[in-house]
Amino acid sequence: MDNESPGASGAINYQLSIINSFLTHLASERRLSPHTVSNYQRDLKDAFRLTGQRDWATLTVHDMRSLVATLHRQGKGGKTIARLLSTLRTFYSYLMREGLARDNPAVDVRPPKSGKRLPKALDADQVGQLLDAGMEKDDPLSLRDQAIMELFYACGLRLAELLSLNLDSLDLSAGQLLVTGKGNKTRQLPIGKPALTAVRRWLKARTLFIKDSEEKALFLSKNGRRLSPSSVQQRLKRHALERGLDDHLHPHKLRHSFATHLLESSGDLRAVQELLGHADLATTQVYTHLDFQHLAQVYDGAHPRAQRRKGDDEESS
């Protein structure tokens, strides 16, 4: 026998009918796509179930926060919860317009922050697979692309930093690169031998791309202008696929690989911070997937003021 009373069943059906009226409004008045309407329907039915199938007009901001907490415990991500809250805010605006609710309990509720997703670093073999394969090619475009990829990995450059490089950014005799980063801050970076060789080879080929003798950009497109971000991203993706790597390879992944490999080899977090151009050590921590315990060990072992003499703890206690 069904334990649900006829009255309760009727109340639930009424609340579900309100959802259906709202979905009709989305499809007919707002002309949203069937896919979008289906997403609204799924979100509202989930919310209705998780809030105990109560009258929409009785739900409060505390109920909304409880709903967010429940979804978070279930492992739902910040973006998923944010979308559901957005659905509820839109739904309650409709209810208020129709006189079915007095306020919008979802309006000031915020989802948990989504964790920053970082690209997985290439391992050393994958970097070799990408870069070594281009060393034998001598056509102008390949020479340019090889120099670009070598600099990304050798210097940990951001895409915008690489694109802003000019001829006078290079000091070939000293093997150094002057980079302008975020906040217009400059930093001097060493260039490793493979990258230096690749850049020298490109500079010889660069003369074939020159259309305007006044153009100072280090890397030129076939029309003689400074390269665009999309051009570099597309060329990098192409070379990765040709060399058996996945199609998600992009400049930031090479920067991340640079930071990870350098830190694994040196353990010098401050040096990596300087090379990446990070103002905050916490940003370097995120890039390199370090946990706090490892950070603390590096700090305690390297920072002069962190190295306490034996007996200091006893004296201060």
Side-chain angles (χ1 to χ4, degrees):
M1 179 182 292
D2 191 348
N3 292 326
E4 189 177 79
S5 68
S9 177
I12 290 172
N13 288 334
Y14 174 66
Q15 298 305 317
L16 290 174
S17 73
I18 294 176
I19 294 178
N20 291 333
S21 297
F22 171 66
L23 298 175
T24 300
H25 157 73
L26 294 179
S28 60
E29 294 185 37
R30 295 185 55 183
R31 299 186 181 279
L32 298 184
S33 71
H35 175 71
T36 301
V37 173
S38 176
N39 286 338
Y40 274 98
Q41 181 181 39
R42 183 182 62 250
D43 285 343
L44 288 173
K45 287 190 172 181
D46 284 346
F48 187 53
R49 174 178 53 83
L50 292 170
T51 54
Q53 299 182 325
R54 289 164 50 196
D55 186 334
W56 293 110
T58 67
L59 297 181
T60 67
V61 64
H62 301 294
D63 293 312
M64 294 295 139
R65 288 174 179 152
S66 178
L67 173 61
V68 168
T70 298
L71 292 169
H72 190 55
R73 284 195 301 270
Q74 291 178 352
K76 303 297 184 184
K79 289 184 178 179
T80 298
I81 298 174
R83 190 196 67 212
L84 185 138
L85 286 171
S86 176
T87 294
L88 286 168
R89 283 192 282 271
T90 304
F91 178 54
Y92 270 94
S93 293
Y94 167 80
L95 295 183
M96 292 170 68
R97 190 191 82 172
E98 298 296 313
L100 298 172
R102 288 185 297 177
D103 55 24
N104 192 330
V107 71
D108 290 323
V109 180
R110 296 290 175 262
K113 290 184 179 180
S114 298
K116 184 181 251 186
R117 293 185 179 181
L118 290 170
K120 182 180 179 183
L122 297 174
D123 60 36
D125 289 339
Q126 289 173 315
V127 172
Q129 185 177 338
L130 176 69
L131 299 181
D132 293 348
M135 294 175 66
E136 304 302 321
K137 297 184 177 182
D138 58 5
D139 62 283
L141 280 178
S142 293
L143 291 174
R144 183 199 66 189
D145 294 350
Q146 184 72 13
I148 286 172
M149 292 187 291
E150 289 280 5
L151 278 183
F152 271 134
Y153 180 65
C155 301
L157 300 180
R158 300 178 177 97
L159 176 57
E161 292 172 346
L162 179 125
L163 294 174
S164 68
L165 292 175
N166 293 322
L167 291 171
D168 60 7
S169 303
L170 285 168
D171 185 342
L172 294 176
S173 60
Q176 293 182 342
L177 187 68
L178 183 64
V179 176
T180 302
K182 290 184 177 181
N184 213 31
K185 293 181 179 179
T186 60
R187 63 188 191 277
Q188 197 85 29
L189 300 174
I191 310 174
K193 287 184 179 180
L196 204 55
T197 299
V199 169
R200 285 195 171 109
R201 294 179 71 196
W202 155 243
L203 287 175
K204 292 178 181 178
R206 182 182 178 276
T207 56
L208 302 174
F209 290 72
I210 295 175
K211 308 293 185 192
D212 178 2
S213 60
E214 298 298 315
E215 178 58 72
K216 302 303 180 184
L218 175 58
F219 293 110
L220 302 177
S221 65
K222 287 189 288 187
N223 61 17
R225 298 193 183 97
R226 191 180 298 270
L227 276 173
S228 68
S230 60
S231 295
V232 174
Q233 290 165 335
Q234 290 168 8
R235 296 291 294 181
L236 190 57
K237 180 178 179 179
R238 174 179 172 177
H239 287 299
L241 287 173
E242 287 176 350
R243 297 167 197 189
L245 298 175
D246 67 66
D247 61 349
H248 298 296
L249 183 61
H250 45 81
H252 186 70
K253 198 165 190 176
L254 285 175
R255 174 174 161 85
H256 184 58
S257 302
F258 159 85
T260 301
H261 297 169
L262 191 60
L263 188 63
E264 286 174 351
S265 299
S266 69
D268 193 333
L269 191 68
R270 290 292 181 184
V272 175
Q273 178 190 2
E274 290 293 325
L275 291 168
L276 288 172
H278 287 159
D280 190 347
L281 186 66
T283 309
T284 312
Q285 174 195 353
V286 172
Y287 266 78
T288 52
H289 293 287
L290 287 175
D291 57 33
F292 182 79
Q293 184 178 5
H294 181 67
L295 270 178
Q297 290 172 351
V298 172
Y299 182 86
D300 288 342
H303 197 286
R305 300 288 286 180
Q307 296 169 0
R308 303 174 64 85
R309 298 185 304 275
K310 288 183 179 180
D312 280 359
D313 289 330
E314 290 82 2
E315 291 173 8
S316 60
S317 60

